[in-house]
Structure formats: structure tokens, C-alpha cells
Amino acid sequence: MTEREFISNHSYVDIERGEVKAKCSSNIALVKYWGKYTPQLPANPSISYTLTNSLTHTVLEFKKSDKLSVDVYLGDSKQDKFSQRIEKYFLSIKPYVPFIDRYHYTIHTQNSFPHSSGIASSASGFGAVALCLLEMSELFGEKLTNEQRRIKASFLARLGSGSACRSLYKGLVVWGEHSEIPQSSDLYAIPFPFEVSTVFKEMQDTVLLIDEGRKEVSSTVGHRLMEGHFYAEARFAEARKNLSVLSKILQTGDLESFGRIVEHEALALHAMMMTSTPAFILMKPTTLAVIDKLWKFREETHAHLYFTLDAGANIHLLYPEREKDTAFNFIKDELLKYTKNGNFILDKALF
Ligand code: PMV
């Protein structure tokens, strides 16, 4: 689909006031998206696992108004920065949601994971808001098939936060055009279109909360620093190549090769941050201590336990269901001491 096809010419029947609800999961990228073009188009394709337990629940109340305005609450506390961000976002998607500026919105949002824990709350957050808007469109008379709803929600979520577009599907999800992934698009995400080996359908993800503070550098700033970055073109080419290789691995079930690519991708993402101008480092000494312990453990046991990182210090540990006990015992006995207050999230990919 092209951008034009998302422009809505439906004649909506406005409702005076009402309420819609949605929930959406977070996701963790295996091949990372880092670098973008206006309007929020990825510089390279990416693939992620959608998680099960890291969720955002959103209730959106709407009330007819002369002017668009938004109040966002996280739990009980009003979030002025988020309110402004969502208001700006709503204005930007008017061509696709024409009634959007005829309302005042009160948005109550609740994450199942600690805010600013480094878990991508913007992915699940924008995913849930996009689903709410689609539900509103349907209340106002637009008829959509399940597939149309998913694609449009993914398209709208992308305009809020790029990686959010991948949260609209379960399992493995691809965003960004790639010559070997049929139907892939820069505009929205699609489910990974090939049969996935069983071992990759049961992937566990334990997230070690190393640092629960606010991110020192936002991903918006990080993406911008890829413009003119000395390694940018090489990085984008590498991500395309890694997606191509990983696509085959996911179909054949080769865990060691999976681990090699996934860990490389995490380190490449952080290498881009460390080599940008100005440089920034989001890993903490404890992030490196965990990686070191993990590599030693793997050398001794040959366990299939691999790490990946988001734009933060926290570590996602990925392992197959059948090695759950060995992996978790190691995490509990050897790695939890590196977290802030022993905090972690037990999650898994959702299929
Ligand atoms: O969606 P954004 O703009 O917050 O970018 C997030 C990018 C990473 O999480 C670091 C990688 C990815 O592909 O999810």
C-alpha cells in the first residue's frame, strides 16, 4: 500500500462523547532500527519479537470540542510532556484520521512494567493509542476488516514512534522494505512471512533492569545523530544483510547463528551511539559485567542463552523454552546481583 491509500475520505458520523480501550505489547528488536528519514521512515529494515507480559493498557475518552487538546495520565499523574507529544502527533495524523481535531481527549495509560525502565513503552504506548483511534473510526461508521485495521494501526503507530509499528502483530514482525521479504514496507510492519522453526516460536525473554532512570539520550536524538554519521551507510547495509541471514536462520532453527547475529546487532546499535558526534554511552558498567559473565557461562556450558539490548542499559536475555531451567537458574544465581534492587521481568515472545 502507498501513503496515499491511508488518506481517509470516509464520511464519519461524529459522536458527542465516548470511550475506547486498547492494549498493546512491547517488542524487542533482533535486527535494530537506528536511523530514519522524514516522515519516520526507517533507514534500514528491522525485525522484532513481540512480547507477552510487557503491555500498555490505554483508555481514551473523547469529547467534542472546538479545538484539539489532549491530557495524558500515567496511572494517576498527569503527564504534561506526553500530553504535548500526543497532541502534536494527533495533529500530524489528521489526513488519515480526519475527525481527530474535533475532540478533547483524556488518555489514561498503564504499563505492566516500570515506566522509564528502558522497556520500550513508546512502542506499546503508541500501538495502544493507534488501536484506540481505529476503534473510534469504527464507532464513527468506518468499516474495516481485521487486516485493514492492523495495517492502518501499524501505519499510524509508526508515525508516533517508529518501532511501535512492529507491536501490532504477534510473533516475529518485520518493518522496512527488504528485497527478500515479500510485502515488506517502510510504511508499516508485517508479520514475518515464512514458516518459523519451532524453537524460535517459544523464545523466552528475561529482562534485567540494570538502570531504571530516565534515558539520558532519547531515541529521537539518537536517530538524528545517524545523519552524517561516518559509519551510517555501512551500518544500514549491514542491517539489511543481517536480516537476510537471520530470515534463513529463523526458518532452519540454528540457535548458535541466531545468537551470533542478535548479539552483534545489539553491540552494533551501541557502537553507533559511541561513534556518533557527540558520542553517548547508554550501557552501564553492570551491563558489561553481565555480558562478560554470560559469555563465560556459554563457553563452559554451551547453553543457548543470548543477550540483546535496546536503547538503554537493560539486558534482554533470550533462550528457548526447552532450556528454561538451566538459563533461569544461571540468571537467578549469577546475574540478578547486577540489577537495581534485583528487578527483572520474565517475558516471552507472543505468537
Ligand atoms: O521507535 P524509536 O524511535 O523509539 O526507536 C527505537 C529503536 C530501538 O529500540 C533502539 C531499536 C528497534 O529497532 O527497536
mmCIF file of all heavy atoms in Angstrom, residues 25 51-55 112-113 345-348:
data_model
loop_
_atom_site.group_PDB
_atom_site.id
_atom_site.type_symbol
_atom_site.label_atom_id
_atom_site.label_comp_id
_atom_site.label_asym_id
_atom_site.label_seq_id
_atom_site.Cartn_x
_atom_site.Cartn_y
_atom_site.Cartn_z
ATOM 1 N N SER A 25 1.319 -4.797 23.228
ATOM 2 C CA SER A 25 2.559 -5.296 23.822
ATOM 3 C C SER A 25 3.762 -4.482 23.363
ATOM 4 O O SER A 25 3.731 -3.868 22.296
ATOM 5 C CB SER A 25 2.820 -6.721 23.362
ATOM 6 O OG SER A 25 1.808 -7.558 23.802
ATOM 7 N N LEU A 51 6.415 -9.064 22.635
ATOM 8 C CA LEU A 51 6.444 -9.695 23.956
ATOM 9 C C LEU A 51 5.031 -9.969 24.480
ATOM 10 O O LEU A 51 4.040 -9.520 23.888
ATOM 11 C CB LEU A 51 7.238 -8.806 24.909
ATOM 12 C CG LEU A 51 8.695 -8.581 24.459
ATOM 13 C CD1 LEU A 51 9.407 -7.603 25.373
ATOM 14 C CD2 LEU A 51 9.463 -9.908 24.401
ATOM 15 N N THR A 52 4.980 -10.712 25.577
ATOM 16 C CA THR A 52 3.675 -11.122 26.097
ATOM 17 C C THR A 52 3.278 -10.326 27.337
ATOM 18 O O THR A 52 2.153 -9.866 27.453
ATOM 19 C CB THR A 52 3.730 -12.618 26.493
ATOM 20 O OG1 THR A 52 4.253 -13.327 25.377
ATOM 21 C CG2 THR A 52 2.362 -13.150 26.841
ATOM 22 N N ASN A 53 4.229 -10.171 28.265
ATOM 23 C CA ASN A 53 3.862 -9.596 29.567
ATOM 24 C C ASN A 53 4.121 -8.099 29.679
ATOM 25 O O ASN A 53 3.628 -7.473 30.610
ATOM 26 C CB ASN A 53 4.632 -10.310 30.690
ATOM 27 C CG ASN A 53 4.337 -11.799 30.678
ATOM 28 O OD1 ASN A 53 3.242 -12.220 30.294
ATOM 29 N ND2 ASN A 53 5.309 -12.616 31.062
ATOM 30 N N SER A 54 4.908 -7.555 28.779
ATOM 31 C CA SER A 54 5.196 -6.117 28.847
ATOM 32 C C SER A 54 4.162 -5.380 27.995
ATOM 33 O O SER A 54 4.300 -5.276 26.778
ATOM 34 C CB SER A 54 6.609 -5.831 28.342
ATOM 35 O OG SER A 54 7.527 -6.619 29.056
ATOM 36 N N LEU A 55 3.130 -4.898 28.679
ATOM 37 C CA LEU A 55 1.951 -4.378 27.976
ATOM 38 C C LEU A 55 1.615 -2.950 28.387
ATOM 39 O O LEU A 55 1.913 -2.550 29.507
ATOM 40 C CB LEU A 55 0.726 -5.187 28.406
ATOM 41 C CG LEU A 55 0.512 -6.602 27.917
ATOM 42 C CD1 LEU A 55 -0.627 -7.215 28.714
ATOM 43 C CD2 LEU A 55 0.140 -6.582 26.444
ATOM 44 N N SER A 112 2.453 -2.374 32.298
ATOM 45 C CA SER A 112 2.634 -3.514 33.199
ATOM 46 C C SER A 112 4.088 -3.585 33.669
ATOM 47 O O SER A 112 4.457 -4.444 34.432
ATOM 48 C CB SER A 112 2.270 -4.804 32.480
ATOM 49 O OG SER A 112 3.218 -5.042 31.465
ATOM 50 N N PHE A 113 4.929 -2.674 33.166
ATOM 51 C CA PHE A 113 6.350 -2.678 33.523
ATOM 52 C C PHE A 113 6.713 -1.282 34.026
ATOM 53 O O PHE A 113 6.007 -0.313 33.715
ATOM 54 C CB PHE A 113 7.203 -3.042 32.305
ATOM 55 C CG PHE A 113 6.812 -2.288 31.057
ATOM 56 C CD1 PHE A 113 7.357 -1.051 30.762
ATOM 57 C CD2 PHE A 113 5.873 -2.825 30.177
ATOM 58 C CE1 PHE A 113 6.977 -0.360 29.630
ATOM 59 C CE2 PHE A 113 5.492 -2.130 29.034
ATOM 60 C CZ PHE A 113 6.044 -0.899 28.766
ATOM 61 N N ILE A 345 12.142 -8.730 34.597
ATOM 62 C CA ILE A 345 10.815 -9.040 34.038
ATOM 63 C C ILE A 345 10.925 -10.365 33.313
ATOM 64 O O ILE A 345 11.814 -10.542 32.478
ATOM 65 C CB ILE A 345 10.369 -7.929 33.040
ATOM 66 C CG1 ILE A 345 10.221 -6.601 33.774
ATOM 67 C CG2 ILE A 345 9.068 -8.314 32.359
ATOM 68 C CD1 ILE A 345 10.036 -5.416 32.842
ATOM 69 N N LEU A 346 10.044 -11.286 33.644
ATOM 70 C CA LEU A 346 10.017 -12.570 32.930
ATOM 71 C C LEU A 346 9.041 -12.429 31.780
ATOM 72 O O LEU A 346 7.845 -12.238 31.998
ATOM 73 C CB LEU A 346 9.481 -13.660 33.869
ATOM 74 C CG LEU A 346 10.452 -14.600 34.545
ATOM 75 C CD1 LEU A 346 9.705 -15.678 35.268
ATOM 76 C CD2 LEU A 346 11.456 -15.204 33.564
ATOM 77 N N ASP A 347 9.553 -12.538 30.574
ATOM 78 C CA ASP A 347 8.650 -12.373 29.440
ATOM 79 C C ASP A 347 8.922 -13.445 28.407
ATOM 80 O O ASP A 347 9.862 -14.252 28.566
ATOM 81 C CB ASP A 347 8.822 -10.960 28.826
ATOM 82 C CG ASP A 347 7.511 -10.412 28.315
ATOM 83 O OD1 ASP A 347 6.707 -11.207 27.810
ATOM 84 O OD2 ASP A 347 7.310 -9.186 28.410
ATOM 85 N N LYS A 348 8.138 -13.472 27.368
ATOM 86 C CA LYS A 348 8.413 -14.381 26.245
ATOM 87 C C LYS A 348 7.757 -13.829 24.997
ATOM 88 O O LYS A 348 6.885 -12.947 25.086
ATOM 89 C CB LYS A 348 7.908 -15.784 26.558
ATOM 90 C CG LYS A 348 6.449 -15.898 26.835
ATOM 91 C CD LYS A 348 6.106 -17.343 27.117
ATOM 92 C CE LYS A 348 4.656 -17.483 27.430
ATOM 93 N NZ LYS A 348 4.324 -18.193 28.613
#
